[in-house]
Amino acid sequence: QVQLVESGGGLVQAGGSLRLSCAASGRTSSMYDMAWFRQAPGKEREFVASIRWSGGSTSAADSVKGRFTISRDNAKNTVYLQMNSLKPEDTAVYYCAARYMTASYAYWGQGAQVTVSS
């Protein structure tokens, strides 16, 4: 199993930047990938970005491409989400997730609130 702890959320003005961190512990060596999702009030949870644990290839939602960057530090078992040019519509609770192979994401962090003011 994997345990995930997020940090780095907060309040920022539109156009600003924030970096989220997700520290993983447990059986991390067998992970397939880690990802960030977000859920805005009254909306369904949506995919933001993912990164393969081995190799580091990434994927991102069209809504964040060019603004958000996902990266990892395998030595620290940590995944980051660098968020630039933030918009009010990026306001949401951001969740870190992990999975083994291509199964569904079974492991989730507690969530980090990101609020972007206009």
Side-chain angles (χ1 to χ4, degrees):
Q1 292 192 351
V2 175
Q3 294 78 43
L4 305 173
V5 178
E6 299 146 359
S7 60
L11 172 65
V12 65
Q13 289 188 332
S17 299
L18 280 175
R19 189 178 79 158
L20 301 179
S21 300
C22 178
S25 60
R27 195 164 60 94
T28 59
S29 60
S30 300
M31 291 191 302
Y32 177 75
D33 68 2
M34 291 181 66
W36 290 96
F37 289 77
R38 67 186 181 185
Q39 187 167 19
K43 295 186 177 181
E44 293 187 354
R45 188 175 297 185
E46 65 174 358
F47 170 79
V48 176
S50 65
I51 186 165
R52 288 283 300 274
W53 199 243
S54 176
S57 60
T58 63
S59 178
D62 288 342
S63 59
V64 306
K65 282 181 180 177
R67 300 188 299 123
F68 291 11
T69 302
I70 188 170
S71 63
R72 79 198 193 295
D73 184 335
N74 286 37
K76 295 182 178 180
N77 286 336
T78 299
V79 169
Y80 305 97
L81 184 68
Q82 178 66 43
M83 304 182 291
N84 299 328
S85 302
L86 282 160
K87 305 174 181 179
E89 52 263 44
D90 294 319
T91 295
V93 178
Y94 284 71
Y95 296 92
C96 176
R99 61 179 175 175
Y100 297 108
M101 299 309 292
T102 56
S104 59
Y105 289 96
Y107 305 98
W108 295 84
Q110 79 281 7
Q113 177 68 50
V114 171
T115 302
V116 184
S117 63
S118 57

